[in-house]
Amino acid sequence: MTNYFIELSYLAASLLFIYGLRSLTHPDTARRGMHAAEVGMLLAVIGTLLHREIVRYDWIIAGLLLGGTIGGVLAQKVPMTALPQLTAISHAFGAFAAALVGIVEYHKHGTIGTFTVTALGFEVLLGALTTTGSVIAWAKLQDLLPGAPMTFKGQRPFNFALITALLALFILLMVNPGAGWAFHLMLALAFLFGVMLVLPIGTADMAVVMALLNSYAGLAASAMGFAIGNNVLIIAGTLNGFSGFILSVAMCKAMNRSITNVLFGAFGSASSGEAHAETGVMREVDLDDTATQLAYARQVVFVPGYGMATAQAQHVVRELAETLEQRGVTVKFAVHPVAGRMPGHMNVLLAEANVPYSQLYELEQINPDMPNTDVCVVIGANDVVNPDARDNPQSPIAGMPIIEVDKSKSVIVLKRGKGRGFSGIENPLFFKPNTGMLYGDAKESLARLVSAVREA
Ligand code: NAP
């Protein structure tokens, strides 16, 4: 009877995970999908706790309390802008857990078959490299390590030798599952490989790397499911593995990079292209003039970027949008897939501020509408509106699709000063005759614009 309940809870959990993932494909249903997946996870945990093989609960309860407390505190305390680091370190914990289970399982079995050792091999290999890779990603994002690609002479041959050794040891284990020394050596080399894999990747590409590490952690969990005969782990791990991979490919596409270039290209190094050298002047605009322009426009497009996240300006943007709409202005939001610092960053913030989904436009939808737009308000975005990506083949971000705000009649850029974007390069948009710079913290500028538009 208990076994029946466990399998039923696993089945329900798996269905809820699939439904949750499917719901994430649209902002309208994303929140509901997340809640469904949370219920699924709760069911999977309850089902697992009923397992007959559990002989005592004290350690499990202690772990649940400790992990739950750390997770709860982090979720409350970590600011939105530090979410990428939090995600990286969470992957490290998850992958380390998978590697530890693999090690215990290997030692638990007296004699071990080829199938089990293959599953365990995958589990510890992917688990170990994801652990150290995620720790390095976290350290880079947290500025504990340099964000630029860290390379040394002979790095590629060294990494190639490491991969070859890992594969050789894996094959040896499949042939001779009892070779404990090979298992432990493979484990140690996999930990080292995680470090070597992420060190040469710059922070600009870290989001792609994390999606990929997330995928590896999922595949490690799936292998663990095969090793210990747990269906929900197999299903959830596979979903995680493939969705993580699809996400990394989608992000590469949004940045016009290939996945091999991200992993092995050492993007962001001094040799990776020439940015546009700008000598013109940036035209500063007056707040009241901007308010008048906005108030009498037919169509205004807001383009949020990382600066909106740091300023936490999403609520006041919505307020300005509503104020303009009350005056009969058509308002749209252009959302670039890699604006901010994590996938869906802008969507999450705008949803939090209750901006209607019908006002959100992807770049393919909004770009043709740019010539009909009277004013584009760029809120703390930089790289995603940099025309150099389109016009200068030598630029380090050449080929990255952009929101073509420069094709609108007038552009107002809200930023604090002359700070560069994530790529660290100059943006010729700021020097164009139809661009005006409104300096200041985005939240403060927008709040003042709301009052000024009401009075215009
Ligand atoms: P960005 O290029 O990083 O530019 C952000 C701009 O915001 C800066 O130029 C900064 O200028 C301004 N800013 C910062 N704080 C502000 C504040 N409080 N008020 C007003 N302005 C403020 O941002 P983006 O255009 O969103 O581009 C994202 C970049 O991150 C891309 O290069 C992308 O490839 C990369 N990336 C994205 C992801 C992802 O998954 N979304 C992950 C990793 C990396 P000032 O200092 O002058 O104010």
Side-chain angles (χ1 to χ4, degrees):
M1 185 65 192
T2 321
N3 275 350
Y4 178 71
F5 181 79
I6 294 172
E7 288 308 320
L8 207 63
S9 70
Y10 284 176
L11 181 66
S14 304
L15 291 175
L16 285 166
F17 291 153
I18 294 168
Y19 172 74
L21 209 52
R22 178 76 187 86
S23 306
L24 290 182
T25 53
H26 199 276
D28 263 334
T29 50
R31 206 178 290 239
R32 200 181 333 137
M34 276 306 293
H35 291 318
E38 281 163 9
V39 173
M41 185 53 88
L42 184 69
L43 281 178
V45 171
I46 293 173
T48 305
L49 286 176
L50 293 176
H51 237 279
R52 274 186 221 285
E53 285 178 35
I54 298 177
V55 280
R56 46 190 291 195
Y57 279 90
D58 43 0
W59 284 100
I60 295 176
I61 291 169
L64 274 178
L65 287 178
L66 188 68
T69 311
I70 295 174
V73 171
L74 284 178
Q76 296 294 326
K77 294 253 180 254
V78 171
M80 199 65 174
T81 44
L83 272 193
Q85 293 93 301
L86 180 63
T87 314
I89 203 72
S90 309
H91 285 166
F93 287 138
F96 192 47
L100 286 180
V101 172
I103 298 167
V104 171
E105 282 294 313
Y106 183 77
H107 288 285
K108 220 174 77 181
H109 292 277
T111 49
I112 190 164
T114 306
F115 177 78
T116 311
V117 89
T118 307
L120 286 179
F122 267 120
E123 183 185 341
V124 295
L125 195 81
L126 292 172
L129 79 86
T130 306
T131 305
T132 46
S134 304
V135 170
I136 299 292
W138 165 77
K140 281 184 167 239
L141 291 166
Q142 192 67 34
D143 286 334
L144 297 173
L145 280 176
M150 295 165 76
T151 51
F152 59 85
K153 208 165 168 266
Q155 194 165 29
R156 282 186 193 183
F158 181 80
N159 283 354
F160 184 72
L162 211 50
I163 296 176
T164 314
L166 280 169
L167 284 178
L169 288 166
F170 197 176
I171 293 169
L172 195 144
L173 261 178
M174 283 157 69
V175 178
N176 179 10
W181 66 269
F183 182 82
H184 292 114
L185 186 58
M186 187 179 81
L187 182 69
L189 292 184
F191 277 124
L192 177 64
F193 185 60
V195 177
M196 301 311 294
L197 189 71
V198 183
L199 273 186
I201 299 171
T203 30
D205 284 332
M206 218 35 95
V208 182
V209 173
M210 271 161 48
L212 212 57
L213 290 173
N214 176 18
S215 158
Y216 294 163
L219 294 178
S222 178
M224 175 157 78
F226 278 108
I228 64 175
N230 183 313
N231 289 337
V232 78
L233 268 177
I234 297 175
I235 296 172
T238 312
L239 287 173
N240 185 173
F242 281 91
S243 55
F245 186 72
I246 292 168
L247 178 63
S248 29
V249 172
M251 289 174 75
C252 282
K253 230 172 115 191
M255 297 198 269
N256 194 33
R257 315 272 312 283
S258 73
I259 200 127
T260 42
N261 180 260
V262 168
L263 288 177
F264 309 112
F267 176 70
S269 58
S271 61
S272 59
E274 289 253 334
H276 187 100
E278 203 51 65
T279 49
V281 279
M282 298 190 196
R283 184 174 58 93
E284 191 171 345
V285 288
D286 179 52
L287 187 112
D288 289 327
D289 288 348
T290 308
T292 313
Q293 253 195 69
L294 290 172
Y296 293 97
R298 269 180 305 117
Q299 175 160 290
V300 170
V301 173
F302 289 108
V303 185
Y306 178 63
M308 184 185 82
T310 50
Q312 285 292 294
Q314 61 274 23
H315 295 278
V316 65
V317 182
R318 199 243 312 125
E319 218 182 310
L320 179 58
E322 282 174 358
T323 312
L324 289 172
E325 281 187 305
Q326 281 158 13
R327 297 184 64 107
V329 180
T330 304
V331 175
K332 295 180 177 175
F333 286 80
V335 180
H336 192 286
V338 293
R341 291 291 182 272
M342 58 178 186
H345 203 167
M346 296 302 116
N347 295 77
V348 171
L349 294 176
L350 295 173
E352 180 198 314
N354 290 325
V355 171
Y357 301 128
S358 56
Q359 282 187 348
L360 307 191
Y361 290 80
E362 293 180 8
L363 57 87
E364 298 84 2
Q365 298 170 305
I366 202 76
N367 278 344
D369 207 13
M370 279 302 165
N372 309 320
T373 302
D374 301 301
V375 193
C376 265
V377 185
V378 175
I379 309 159
N382 193 336
D383 292 345
V384 300
V385 290
N386 189 335
D388 236 13
R390 180 193 60 211
D391 304 334
N392 175 10
Q394 303 304 317
S395 168
I397 58 167
M400 173 172 125
I402 55 156
I403 297 177
E404 298 183 316
V405 292
D406 58 332
K407 293 193 174 162
S408 72
K409 291 173 193 146
S410 169
V411 185
I412 303 292
V413 179
L414 271 56
K415 70 201 292 283
R416 295 162 308 174
K418 299 199 164 50
R420 305 248 162 130
F422 195 83
S423 64
I425 60 172
E426 191 50 271
N427 190 338
L429 171 76
F430 305 154
F431 302 88
K432 296 213 170 200
N434 64 336
T435 301
M437 308 297 289
L438 187 60
Y439 292 119
D441 175 75
K443 190 174 176 181
E444 284 167 23
S445 301
L446 286 163
R448 288 169 56 217
L449 276 174
V450 173
S451 321
V453 169
R454 281 184 184 146
E455 283 163 20

